[in-house]
Amino acid sequence: MQPYFVVCGAAVLFAVLLIIRIRLTRSSGSRTVSGIEIGNGQTIGSRSEQDDYFASMTTPVGTLAVVADGISGLANGRMSSTLAVTTFTKAFAKLEDASNLNEYFAGAASQSNRSILQNLNGQGGGTTLAAVIICGYQLYYGAVGDSVITIYRNGHFQTVNSKHTAETLLEERVLAGQMTSEEAKTSPVRNQLVNYLGYEGFESMELGTTPIRLYSGDYVLLCSDGIQEALTEIELEEIMRKGGTPQEMADTMIDAINDKGFKSQDNATVLILAIG
């Protein structure tokens, strides 16, 4: 029986260490790993529950950062976002090399979707997710839903992923002459998600076909939609231009959102990675 208990003990110890590592990466305050300084910020807004969840971790493969936004208005949003982030971090911890990171993203997304659906057991729920892996000066990403990945470079933002909302479908209808631009802008379903984790019809997440080249001085941002809805791109650029550490920038963004005091302010989360 002894070998069995030794194996179980080792497994429990590994799980505890992994949980501690994830919790440490979620604490406030900038930290620098492998030339990447990381800051984070989060507010519950006017919601009764914080449905956003995030984490970052570094292994010999590279640095992972992931943000998930549990769908507001649906039960189990917190469970969905937490389960998705945990699945992605655990899978990343097992990677031995960066030979096929798209396979990692796709596999973790499929596993997350299955696990969330099993836990929902027919109830409403789900989550968006945006994840990046930085290996040296190469950025790999996977995204589903409306959480945003952007690169801040030379004073301006460059959006990395697209939003999986009805807005895209409406714009296609405008181009096809099936509706006017004004009708698309005022459509009540404009922000409705058409793809997310915990969705019965989920097939795949958006993946980068090739890695994106990063440069020293770049900033990679992962934002839940509560950031984008509260602050304009101009306001975000102004905060970034003022400089400071990634943690100071993240804190300033959250302070700016809280100062606006919107009655319908959604949960908002930002992760900022400064490339050294």
Side-chain angles (χ1 to χ4, degrees):
M1 294 292 288
Q2 283 186 337
Y4 172 81
F5 287 110
V6 170
V7 172
C8 287
V12 171
L13 178 60
F14 175 80
V16 171
L17 291 174
L18 180 61
I19 292 172
I20 292 173
R21 186 173 191 178
I22 292 172
R23 285 181 177 174
L24 285 173
T25 62
R26 298 185 70 251
S27 62
S28 61
S30 287
R31 61 192 186 90
T32 304
V33 286
S34 301
I36 300 174
E37 187 174 3
I38 305 173
N40 62 70
Q42 187 175 70
T43 178
I44 194 172
S46 62
R47 306 297 188 191
S48 60
E49 184 175 1
Q50 177 57 266
D51 290 327
D52 289 1
Y53 199 74
F54 68 94
S56 62
M57 64 186 298
T58 295
T59 71
V61 174
T63 295
L64 167 75
V66 55
V67 169
D69 178 4
I71 299 173
S72 299
L74 292 178
N76 301 304
R78 176 69 171 180
M79 177 278 291
S80 300
S81 62
T82 303
L83 182 53
V85 170
T86 302
T87 299
F88 270 75
T89 52
K90 285 184 176 179
F92 185 69
K94 296 177 181 178
L95 281 184
E96 297 180 353
D97 57 59
S99 60
N100 198 336
L101 293 180
N102 276 354
E103 183 177 310
Y104 152 77
F105 283 123
S110 295
Q111 183 181 347
S112 296
N113 191 63
R114 287 194 302 271
S115 298
I116 292 171
L117 286 172
Q118 289 172 358
N119 279 272
L120 289 175
N121 195 27
Q123 301 179 61
T127 185
T128 72
L129 185 135
V132 300
I133 296 174
I134 299 175
C135 303
Y137 286 93
Q138 301 293 328
L139 173 72
Y140 302 81
Y141 78 93
V144 57
D146 59 2
S147 292
V148 175
I149 304 168
T150 62
I151 297 172
Y152 180 77
R153 176 182 296 161
N154 298 327
H156 299 286
F157 284 108
Q158 300 177 16
T159 302
V160 172
N161 64 309
S162 58
K163 290 186 177 182
H164 305 151
T165 63
E167 178 181 0
T168 302
L169 302 179
L170 293 173
E171 289 175 350
E172 291 177 356
R173 293 189 64 188
V174 171
L175 292 174
Q178 298 173 349
M179 67 189 309
T180 67
S181 178
E182 185 61 28
E183 288 173 334
K185 290 179 181 178
T186 58
S187 172
V189 301
R190 181 178 179 83
N191 295 320
Q192 182 175 317
L193 291 174
V194 296
N195 197 25
Y196 56 91
L197 299 177
Y199 172 46
E200 288 281 2
F202 174 78
E203 294 183 357
S204 62
M205 71 189 315
E206 178 183 338
L207 301 173
T209 54
T210 57
I212 298 171
R213 178 73 165 88
L214 297 175
Y215 300 91
S216 180
D218 284 351
Y219 293 87
V220 178
L221 286 78
L222 288 79
C223 306
S224 65
D225 66 336
I227 297 287
Q228 305 287 327
E229 291 174 357
L231 300 176
T232 66
E233 186 169 309
I234 293 175
E235 289 173 322
L236 289 170
E237 286 178 349
E238 288 177 352
I239 291 172
M240 298 299 294
R241 285 196 190 102
K242 289 179 181 178
T245 67
Q247 188 57 49
E248 290 170 339
M249 294 172 176
D251 288 339
T252 300
M253 290 179 188
I254 299 303
D255 288 342
I257 291 173
N258 289 332
D259 288 344
K260 290 192 175 186
F262 292 134
K263 293 182 180 180
S264 59
Q265 177 60 51
D266 194 3
N267 301 153
T269 300
V270 60
L271 269 175
I272 303 178
L273 295 84
I275 310 303

